[in-house]
Amino acid sequence: MGQPDRSPPDRQAAIVRIVAIGRAAVAGNVTDVPGALADLDQLAGEFADDRQVRALAEATASALGLLRGSPMLDPGRMRAALASLDELTEAVPGAAPAVEPTRALMPDLLRMAQAHRDGDTGTARALFAALRVRADELPPGDPLGGALADVAPLLDALYAGMDDTEAQLPDPGPEASETQRALHLMVRGGLAMRPDDAADPERVEAGLDDLRAVVASLPGHHPYRVMCLTSLGLGLARRAEVGGALADVDEAITVLEEARTLAGDAAHPAWALVNELLTMLLRRRGREPLARRAALEGLRGYAWQVLRQPEPAAARAAAREAVDVAVDIAGGCLSRHQPADALRALDAGRGLLLFATTAWRDPYTRLAEAGHRDLADEWRATEHPSPWLRERVLTALTQDTGLLDPPDLTEIQGALRRLAVDALVYLVPAIAPSPGWAVIAPVEGPARYLALSLLSIGAGTDVERYLTALAARDPREVGSMDQDVLTDRLDALCTWAWKAAMGPVVGPYLDAGRVPRLVLVPMGDLARVPWQAALAPDGTYLVQRVALSQAASARMLCDTATAERAPTARTGLVLADPDTGPRAGSLRSARLEAYGIHQVFYPGATYVGRRPDGSVSPSGAGTADDVRSWLRAEGTPAGSLLHLASHGVMETAPATASSRLLLAGGDLTADELVEVMTGVDRRPVGLVVLAACHTGRSVHGYDEAYSLGTMFLAAGARSVLSTQWSIPDGETSLLMYMFHHYLVAERHPPGDALRRAQMWMLDGQRRPPRHMPPALRRMLDDTDPARVVAWAGFTHWGQ
């Protein structure tokens, strides 16, 4: 598989160089890992159209990637290494016998690493014991077998230390490499620095001496030096906590600053930990500006780790700590009266999975605009990008673009002006002993914040009772929950929502002589609260006073605000009550709603699914392919409206987490949307109306904001309406018809149209417009539109 424009010696020299780097890695003799990675990166780029050379370079780079961070077990890098081995065996037939033993053991090693990372020490130990038995059966000289044999005593000692048993750590033999000796000293020093041994000064001092020795023994670019410095800094910090010596604090700051310099940037696995420790120590020495900078820079490491993962499940594991750390940093900023920094901290840990989806949309254009045309062409030419290619692309995209950084106050205010919004408001629930917070970015002026003592979601609160009612029905099942119970809980919740947050937040805006416009970013379970239904003491709901939207994050708000508006057209796709067989019952009212909307407002749109009499539309049965085909259609004739009136379900189990629409013949999941909608010059989708249950519920935790609705936004839709619970069929049909009335007949933007439709539902003197179909008019006599459960479940996102 040669290349006509390169002579054989050039290709052979590249292979020789790659093999030499690989052999040095196996022997533990690569001390300048960044330099070796740069060489492999250059070779992979030069031979991008030679699959064999490229695969060999990428597999070697993945092996080095495991070394780069430290001896930490990194599941993400192990997945990348396994994927690279698969690519290598496909591209180089002769490579299979050499790497097959490693490929066979890697899945169990990956499971062990994940258990270790999750703190499941028992599972990790059991898996490692089984791996050792299998490793003994590997051929002599196998690199993975040798690596497991080297690390076995160290892991045994670590696990014994975790169990508070005596750790037996044999001295390394005379033939041990520099790396093996360094690992030995680091583990021995770490065991001596366990928190329960902090009162034993002699043992602590011996542990610190070991850690100092390993730091002194390693050259500046050794791959383990960063983690050894971090371990020494952590040990000194622990001793300072017990003994109070500021000299320990200062030494720890010095070694951690060196670790941060060597790590270089957020791509290093230890970046977040190093900056977190520095933040604590700098703050103790009163160096607040430097501490704040370290805290915010450390959060960039979480964004990098999420972005580099190839699938949502791995990214979710990488994002697990980000929210807690971000909220903690934000709380520290607020205690020092720095709300602008608190905003940045909160946004750095918010919606990272959704951010990753957005960041990987059209990387070709991003690379080309950043001046990386060759890498952009390589990306476009690769059908299935390898993990190493993803890292190269991510490195290029984050060098000078600020991709990892959340927007600052100036950027947020620019977005608010474009959207004609008065303020962006983060709502942070109380975590004892601290109160809850509203952190506010106004369209003009400095950021501000409010302490909200009642913003608690703990046991016995109105929020907890409401969430219990929502959980009474498994979201994987189709059908309504107990509407009476939900209604009772909602009534109490609405009163609480005003007292706990909305009253104090919106008070300053109510005397403006116009309807104020706010965008909320509720954190954690606060995202489940229908804030538009907050009930004021005078009996009015917030929706009657304020125009309210939600955002997944400030970052997504800014992306939405800068997107070009979709052309207005009375065409699109309307889908109604597809026949899902035994999976779900029919939605008769949804058929009446969608058919009426199609006939009155969008006569030029394509109608798929079932018509009011139950017959299937000649344009389509309402399948996932019907939706995909419309989304992929080029040009304006297809229209920019997508109205989906169907069943929605969600699955929250970690292995199968998804949010999806039930359609004829199959489902459409949130994960599919970006792939379907992404493409160069793809026409923009102006409005997506998800008139189905649970389309606003996140499947990866609410701070990830990863739902059907937000995935449409991430994929480029300009405005989205989604739902927070199992919406009632009849009243929803009235609400949706009136939404389109205000949108089309009265020409209000989507957010205002939804608000006006909700106010119509609340109006005891409501009158249906003349064009409302008779079947829908009759529903007014059979339903109660003013019930909170009937109108408050819909939320507006986007433009």
Side-chain angles (χ1 to χ4, degrees):
M1 195 178 294
Q3 301 174 13
D5 59 333
R6 290 191 179 93
S7 61
D10 291 334
R11 184 176 191 271
Q12 188 62 32
I15 293 174
V16 169
R17 173 62 179 149
I18 294 169
V19 170
I21 293 174
R23 287 175 176 168
V26 170
N29 294 327
V30 179
T31 57
D32 184 6
V33 175
L37 285 171
D39 286 349
L40 292 169
D41 186 12
Q42 180 179 352
L43 291 169
E46 290 178 354
F47 289 83
D49 52 345
D50 186 324
R51 189 184 178 198
Q52 292 182 348
V53 176
R54 190 187 73 242
L56 185 61
E58 290 179 348
T60 306
S62 288
L64 277 174
L66 292 173
L67 281 177
R68 184 189 183 215
S70 68
M72 292 190 304
L73 297 171
D74 186 334
R77 294 185 184 276
M78 288 184 177
R79 289 187 187 91
L82 182 57
S84 295
L85 288 176
D86 290 340
E87 171 69 14
L88 180 64
T89 56
E90 291 180 11
V92 185
V99 302
E100 190 55 41
T102 299
R103 289 180 67 202
L105 286 183
M106 188 68 85
D108 282 343
L109 186 60
L110 176 57
R111 289 175 56 212
M112 173 201 151
Q114 191 63 63
H116 186 89
R117 176 63 61 87
D118 292 344
D120 187 356
T121 305
T123 299
R125 292 186 72 171
L127 287 167
F128 185 63
L131 278 168
R132 291 179 66 179
V133 172
R134 294 174 62 192
D136 290 340
E137 301 170 356
L138 293 174
D142 181 85
L144 183 58
L148 287 173
D150 289 340
V151 79
L154 305 179
L155 283 177
D156 283 342
L158 280 175
Y159 289 141
M162 291 178 185
D163 291 341
D164 294 327
T165 58
E166 188 63 30
Q168 300 298 321
L169 185 61
D171 290 330
E175 297 181 356
S177 68
E178 179 182 70
T179 296
Q180 290 165 345
R181 291 183 179 277
L183 277 173
H184 175 89
L185 282 173
M186 191 172 70
V187 170
R188 193 171 75 184
L191 289 172
M193 298 304 303
R194 293 179 302 178
D196 58 318
D197 292 323
D200 184 345
E202 291 185 3
R203 182 165 182 168
V204 169
E205 189 59 42
L208 289 173
D209 286 343
D210 281 336
L211 292 171
R212 291 189 183 100
V214 70
V215 167
S217 71
L218 295 177
H221 289 292
H222 194 284
Y224 291 170
R225 185 172 176 84
V226 171
M227 184 47 60
C228 292
L229 286 164
T230 306
S231 298
L232 176 56
L234 177 60
L236 289 163
R238 283 178 174 168
R239 187 167 73 171
E241 288 177 3
V242 175
L246 291 179
D248 284 340
V249 175
D250 292 337
E251 184 183 355
I253 290 173
T254 299
V255 298
L256 288 169
E257 285 178 337
E258 181 186 350
R260 183 169 62 179
T261 299
L262 290 176
D265 54 36
H268 196 284
W271 180 260
L273 175 60
V274 169
N275 279 281
E276 184 178 345
L277 291 171
L278 267 174
T279 300
M280 175 186 68
L281 294 164
L282 289 167
R283 192 156 281 157
R284 183 167 177 181
R285 292 298 273 153
R287 299 162 68 181
E288 181 55 35
L290 291 177
R292 193 162 67 249
R293 188 185 71 179
L296 294 174
E297 287 185 353
L299 288 171
R300 301 172 83 246
Y302 292 106
W304 172 278
Q305 294 303 326
V306 172
L307 284 171
R308 62 179 288 274
Q309 303 298 334
E311 70 276 340
R316 177 174 55 183
R320 187 171 299 155
E321 300 173 65
V323 176
D324 290 340
V325 174
V327 170
D328 184 63
I329 291 173
C333 292
L334 294 176
S335 69
R336 293 166 179 83
H337 310 292
Q338 297 152 349
D341 286 335
L343 277 169
R344 297 200 71 186
L346 290 171
D347 214 61
R350 172 77 183 180
L352 289 179
L353 292 180
L354 195 63
F355 168 50
T357 301
T358 307
W360 283 110
R361 191 176 71 223
D362 193 15
Y364 174 86
T365 300
R366 289 172 179 257
L367 287 167
E369 291 175 348
H372 302 282
R373 173 67 68 175
D374 291 344
L375 189 56
D377 291 339
E378 182 181 349
W379 176 270
R380 175 175 280 184
T382 305
E383 184 176 357
H384 300 291
S386 69
W388 177 236
L389 178 57
R390 287 175 63 93
E391 291 218 11
R392 290 168 56 211
V393 168
L394 186 55
T395 298
L397 289 178
T398 56
Q399 280 177 347
D400 303 309
T401 62
L403 179 67
L404 298 179
D405 296 316
D408 60 19
L409 180 60
T410 300
E411 294 174 85
I412 295 172
Q413 290 177 327
L416 295 176
R417 281 190 287 271
R418 284 188 289 272
L419 295 173
V421 171
D422 293 292
L424 174 74
V425 182
Y426 262 90
L427 294 177
V428 185
I431 302 175
S434 299
W437 304 97
V439 187
I440 304 168
V443 69
E444 302 290 347
R448 60 190 185 90
Y449 66 99
L450 299 171
L452 301 172
S453 59
L454 298 179
L455 198 59
S456 173
I457 57 177
T461 63
D462 289 316
V463 179
E464 188 268 339
R465 286 188 286 270
Y466 158 72
L467 294 176
T468 300
L470 286 184
R473 168 69 67 171
D474 190 328
R476 293 171 295 179
E477 300 177 8
V478 175
S480 298
M481 63 188 71
D482 188 326
Q483 297 291 315
D484 292 335
V485 172
L486 179 60
T487 298
D488 290 342
R489 302 288 170 84
L490 273 172
D491 288 342
L493 181 76
C494 294
T495 301
W496 168 87
W498 183 272
K499 292 179 181 178
M502 288 297 97
V505 167
V506 305
Y509 297 97
L510 295 181
D511 296 327
R514 57 178 176 79
V515 176
R517 301 174 60 84
L518 303 179
V519 176
L520 297 186
V521 183
M523 299 287 287
D525 280 333
L526 294 179
R528 301 294 304 277
V529 175
W531 295 103
Q532 61 272 21
L535 186 62
D538 65 1
T540 59
Y541 290 99
L542 183 68
V543 70
Q544 296 168 295
R545 298 181 171 203
V546 176
L548 204 64
S549 295
Q550 284 195 20
S553 63
R555 195 186 325 245
M556 281 294 295
L557 179 81
C558 292
D559 287 345
T560 300
T562 56
E564 182 182 355
R565 292 189 179 275
T568 302
R570 294 182 65 177
T571 57
L573 179 70
V574 178
L575 179 149
D577 190 28
D579 186 354
T580 60
R583 292 181 298 158
S586 62
L587 297 170
R588 180 178 178 277
S589 296
R591 297 201 300 264
L592 296 174
E593 155 211 324
Y595 195 76
I597 288 169
H598 172 256
Q599 293 293 304
V600 175
F601 303 115
Y602 308 98
T606 301
Y607 183 93
V608 297
R610 289 189 283 191
R611 294 179 288 193
D613 62 2
S615 62
V616 175
S617 169
S619 299
T623 66
D625 281 340
D626 289 334
V627 179
R628 294 187 192 103
S629 297
W630 181 83
L631 290 171
R632 292 184 175 125
E634 300 293 347
T636 56
S640 62
L641 165 81
L642 178 61
H643 182 100
L644 300 172
S646 64
H647 283 292
V649 298
M650 62 180 295
E651 170 64 64
T652 57
T656 57
S658 68
S659 179
R660 62 188 187 274
L661 294 169
L662 301 186
L663 302 175
D667 299 345
L668 183 66
T669 68
D671 295 341
E672 293 180 76
L673 293 174
V674 171
E675 180 181 354
V676 173
M677 293 178 67
T678 298
V680 178
D681 298 327
R682 180 78 67 205
R683 84 180 191 288
V685 176
L687 173 63
V688 177
V689 180
L690 296 170
C693 301
H694 307 299
T695 53
R697 292 188 61 180
S698 176
V699 298
H700 293 302
Y702 281 99
D703 288 310
E704 286 311 316
Y706 195 95
S707 67
L708 269 169
T710 57
M711 288 299 285
F712 269 108
L713 279 177
R718 303 308 195 250
S719 298
V720 172
L721 265 58
S722 65
T723 59
Q724 293 179 292
W725 53 64
S726 182
I727 52 178
D729 187 27
E731 289 97 334
T732 295
S733 298
L734 292 168
L735 177 67
M736 288 294 93
Y737 186 88
M738 293 307 299
F739 164 74
H740 287 282
H741 163 75
Y742 287 113
L743 182 75
V744 176
E746 299 199 10
R747 299 182 179 276
H748 293 284
D752 286 343
L754 176 62
R755 174 175 175 266
R756 289 173 183 273
Q758 290 172 326
M759 290 171 65
W760 182 88
M761 298 282 281
L762 285 167
D763 186 357
Q765 305 299 316
R766 73 185 76 82
R767 295 181 181 277
R770 291 194 303 273
H771 50 66
M772 180 179 279
L776 287 175
R777 284 172 176 264
R778 287 192 290 270
M779 286 186 189
L780 287 170
D781 297 327
D782 301 327
T783 59
D784 183 4
R787 291 188 305 154
V788 174
V789 71
W791 60 267
F794 276 85
T795 302
H796 169 260
W797 309 73
Q799 293 181 351

